Amino acid sequence: MSNSAKIDPVTFSVIWGGLLTIAAEMGVTLSRTAYSVAVREGTDFSTAVFNPDGHLIAQGDYSPGHLGSMAFAVNRMLANFPRETLSEGDAIICNDPAIGSGHLPDIYMVSPAFLDGELLGFAVNIAHQIDIGGAASGSQSVAGLFDNYQEGLRIMPTRLYHAGEPNADVFRMIESNVRVSDVLGDIRAQYASNMGAARRLRELGQRYGADTLRACMYEILARSKEAMREALSKLKPGVYVYEDCMDDVGPDTDPVVFKVTVTITGDSINVDWDGSGPQRDAGMNSYLTYTTAYSIAAVKSVTLPNLPQNQGIINTVTVTAPEGCFLNPRRPAPCGGRAVNSPRIYEVVMAALSQAVPEHSLAAGSHMFNPILGGLDPKTGQPFVCWELTMGGVGARANKDGLEATSFPANASNVPIEVQESRRPVLFEYFGLIPDSAGGGTFRGGFGVRRDLRLTVDNVKIFNLGDRVKYAPFGLFGGLSGSKGVTLVNADTDNAYELNSKGTYTLSDGDLLSWRTSGAGGYGKAFEREPWRVVRDVEEQLVTPAAAREIYGVVIDPDTLAYDDSATQQLRKTAS
């Protein structure tokens, strides 16, 4: 029942803002104290505040895969550590894929916050560890795996800190199973983040009282749930189906079918993945928590994109998938490279929803390449793990072009090349946009990104992870698909060859890797794009004059780049 009658509206607003600020501050602390590029530069982490019942109240603006699954993970972790057994300064960790966010590198950490012995809530964060052991550097290998035990160290809910004191035995166990010491530093950064949040929660409780703070938390959930129900009730009722395919699960393997049925009835919505492909013997399966997280993210994007997410919103959406399918596998299905699924889950749900809310929908994005390179650094004599992340473009919308070099649909980042070069035995020779790669439309998609890396050591393993090499990013409502992606070795030489988007390979000193993401899909008919937009893209060398004519029906002189309006009108009239 709502407590709004008992809460001063100004106090409520200040406390809600304060809780959101705590979650954001947690992210700042984590990123600035972390050791690895995955957390520090790649921002592959998430933060949140939970109430004493274990319900998500406020979150930082980070990864939907982390935050959506976090809503279900915390109470499962607390089942092993009842609230009455917890102390100030405690930290419980877990990376079990089915409990957490779907693969072993992501370690959840839950810490209680107290005021005079009374539980105020929990500070929770999750960080992608750059390595968690297993057969592959970076613990994200895809090909040749048949269970999760091959992928690294699995940690069921475990108390890592008790009353502020670290559990040296658990730290020693983790240290003995990972390739790089960055992992231990990142875990300590997670703890620092949680302790700062617990302190801020305590300060809120001291200022407004524990009862008021708790009442505001319940009110946040109640209002958010009501707002989400209202937004859902405005959607066009119906059953909406969409299907797409992922390229494969490794060399010489079949594609994976992603089929969704979205049913909207009144103020309720169900996202069902029946008809999707079966789980596979490859490290890509998506456990239901992860599938649910990105399904909810797509629904929220077309309903309440600006309202902060919390348990009240999450609980209004139901997500189902048959047990044993690719999107709800049975244990111990391998899952290290499951991040490759996140754009596809989001995009397929979005495409289904576009039939109900076309004005709020996105075309398919470029997809990413998230390869990991591993080997022995001769300068240090120690193993190295080079975690790479190349983000392409975002799909077009009903009223805007897609963005370039932007994380989608999570808030990760392209890792600066200077950071990689200073820490790993690699050199970058190219990083830029790919001309003519964007899917044409009234509004075009974002352009693909090319990133070239040269190895400076021998015998390097690459665990490639990407997609949209065989199935291009789709457009919506007449918009064209973007270009397809590719991974090349020693491009533009006589020894050039292509790598599968998912697979394990051994490369040598001097080899040049070139990741070229696909271009994002367009929205609406390309010949209806305003000519000045095409002219701008040509002037910025993102679209060639030939593509301007062929795709958009815009005539531009290839030598002077002068726009010919009468020729354009005639060409478009003839084409129609």
Side-chain angles (χ1 to χ4, degrees):
M1 182 168 55
S2 175
N3 297 283
S4 58
K6 306 175 185 178
I7 303 173
D8 172 77
V10 175
T11 300
F12 174 75
S13 179
V14 170
I15 288 179
W16 194 349
L19 292 168
L20 292 168
T21 299
I22 291 172
E25 186 179 279
M26 290 174 71
V28 173
T29 301
L30 184 48
S31 64
R32 292 188 177 180
T33 58
Y35 284 60
S36 75
V37 298
V39 178
R40 194 182 61 239
E41 280 82 23
T43 60
D44 196 348
F45 64 84
S46 294
T47 60
V49 176
F50 282 64
N51 71 1
D53 294 333
H55 294 151
L56 173 62
I57 302 297
Q59 65 176 42
D61 291 329
Y62 299 109
S63 168
H66 293 163
L67 295 162
S69 58
M70 188 184 287
F72 307 100
V74 170
N75 271 323
R76 171 58 186 85
M77 292 171 66
L78 293 174
N80 292 93
F81 294 91
R83 290 156 177 78
E84 61 272 16
T85 68
L86 298 176
S87 305
E88 188 171 321
D90 280 6
I92 312 302
I93 62 170
C94 176
N95 74 340
D96 177 75
I99 294 174
S101 73
H103 72 168
L104 295 175
D106 283 349
I107 294 183
Y108 272 117
M109 182 177 287
V110 177
S111 299
F114 294 93
L115 176 61
D116 299 328
E118 183 177 357
L119 182 64
L120 295 177
F122 297 93
V124 183
N125 69 56
I126 180 173
H128 179 106
Q129 302 303 325
I130 200 168
D131 187 82
I132 200 68
S137 301
S139 314
Q140 287 190 182
S141 179
V142 170
L145 300 179
F146 58 84
D147 67 32
N148 181 232
Y149 298 106
Q150 300 172 276
E151 298 183 297
L153 178 66
R154 182 165 68 114
I155 306 170
M156 297 300 284
T158 300
R159 196 188 317 248
L160 185 62
Y161 285 84
H162 181 53
E165 293 297 320
N167 186 326
D169 292 335
V170 177
F171 266 108
R172 191 178 304 112
M173 178 189 68
I174 295 172
E175 182 179 16
S176 64
N177 279 278
V178 300
R179 293 172 174 83
V180 290
S181 59
D182 286 0
V183 174
L184 302 180
D186 284 358
I187 291 174
R188 294 186 178 105
Q190 288 184 257
Y191 184 69
S193 173
N194 274 9
M195 291 304 98
R199 183 175 64 253
R200 294 299 191 196
L201 269 175
R202 198 158 47 246
E203 291 170 355
L204 269 182
Q206 289 170 339
R207 178 172 299 180
Y208 298 102
D211 289 342
T212 299
L213 177 58
R214 187 163 44 248
C216 285
M217 288 178 169
Y218 285 123
E219 184 63 18
I220 289 169
L221 297 182
R223 292 192 187 188
S224 299
K225 181 178 180 179
E226 182 181 356
M228 187 64 169
R229 291 289 190 197
E230 182 180 354
L232 290 172
S233 69
K234 295 178 181 178
L235 298 180
K236 180 182 176 183
V239 178
Y240 306 102
V241 181
Y242 198 82
E243 181 178 319
D244 195 14
C245 285
M246 181 170 286
D247 293 343
D248 51 47
V249 296
D252 303 317
T253 60
D254 293 331
V256 181
V257 175
F258 283 65
K259 181 180 180 180
V260 73
T261 302
V262 178
T263 303
I264 302 171
T265 307
D267 63 355
S268 67
I269 187 169
N270 175 254
V271 179
D272 181 47
W273 291 96
D274 190 19
S276 296
Q279 70 183 70
R280 306 284 284 271
D281 286 340
M284 286 175 51
N285 295 284
S286 177
Y287 280 90
L288 188 58
T289 52
Y290 194 72
T291 301
T292 298
Y294 275 101
S295 298
I296 292 173
V299 173
K300 185 178 181 298
S301 295
V302 303
T303 50
L304 290 176
N306 297 319
L307 188 69
Q309 179 169 281
N310 54 54
Q311 200 93 32
I313 290 174
I314 289 171
N315 288 350
T316 61
V317 183
T318 60
V319 180
T320 54
E323 185 178 5
C325 80
F326 189 78
L327 297 164
N328 183 19
R330 296 184 181 92
R331 289 178 181 269
C335 54
R338 63 89 177 99
V340 75
N341 300 314
S342 59
R344 197 57 49 86
I345 295 169
Y346 184 96
E347 290 166 354
V348 172
V349 176
M350 179 67 72
L353 287 168
S354 72
Q355 301 166 55
V357 280
E359 69 279 8
H360 293 155
S361 301
L362 284 168
S366 287
H367 211 281
M368 62 183 174
F369 277 105
N370 184 202
I372 295 178
L373 291 77
L376 191 68
D377 190 339
K379 292 182 179 179
T380 64
Q382 299 295 318
F384 74 88
V385 177
C386 182
W387 183 90
E388 261 293 289
L389 187 60
T390 300
M391 312 302 303
V394 179
R397 293 162 280 181
N399 59 352
K400 289 184 180 179
D401 291 341
L403 301 173
E404 280 74 45
T406 300
S407 177
F408 169 84
N411 282 354
S413 303
N414 283 300
V415 177
I417 61 175
E418 297 84 359
V419 172
Q420 292 285 38
E421 290 179 339
S422 68
R423 294 170 61 89
R424 306 291 179 245
V426 298
L427 289 173
F428 286 87
E429 299 190 1
Y430 189 92
F431 187 24
L433 303 180
I434 303 173
D436 291 342
S437 59
T442 309
F443 293 95
R444 60 155 176 80
F447 291 91
V449 168
R450 173 181 169 182
R451 190 169 166 105
D452 293 359
L453 174 155
R454 190 174 297 278
L455 301 174
T456 62
V457 294
D458 206 12
N459 194 30
V460 174
K461 292 287 186 183
I462 171 177
F463 306 94
N464 208 23
L465 186 63
D467 204 61
R468 292 294 189 192
V469 173
K470 300 174 184 176
Y471 295 88
F474 56 80
L476 290 177
F477 304 105
L480 302 178
S481 297
S483 64
K484 296 177 182 179
V486 67
T487 303
L488 298 174
V489 178
N490 300 324
D492 304 322
T493 73
D494 293 337
N495 300 318
Y497 60 97
E498 181 177 341
L499 301 184
N500 198 78
S501 61
K502 306 163 198 72
T504 302
Y505 304 92
T506 302
L507 300 179
S508 303
D509 185 4
D511 280 341
L512 182 72
L513 279 157
S514 181
W515 291 284
R516 304 178 186 190
T517 75
S518 56
Y523 191 109
K525 296 178 180 179
F527 267 46
E528 295 179 4
R529 182 168 175 78
E530 294 172 293
W532 71 265
R533 296 181 185 273
V534 181
V535 172
R536 178 196 60 191
D537 285 343
V538 170
E539 291 174 345
E540 294 182 356
Q541 300 181 38
L542 296 174
V543 172
T544 60
R549 182 186 186 98
E550 178 182 351
I551 297 173
Y552 298 102
V554 174
V555 181
I556 298 175
D557 187 280
D559 298 319
T560 65
L561 300 187
Y563 166 61
D564 190 329
D565 184 65
S566 60
T568 295
Q569 299 301 324
Q570 182 61 37
L571 177 60
R572 288 185 164 187
K573 182 178 179 180
T574 303
S576 62

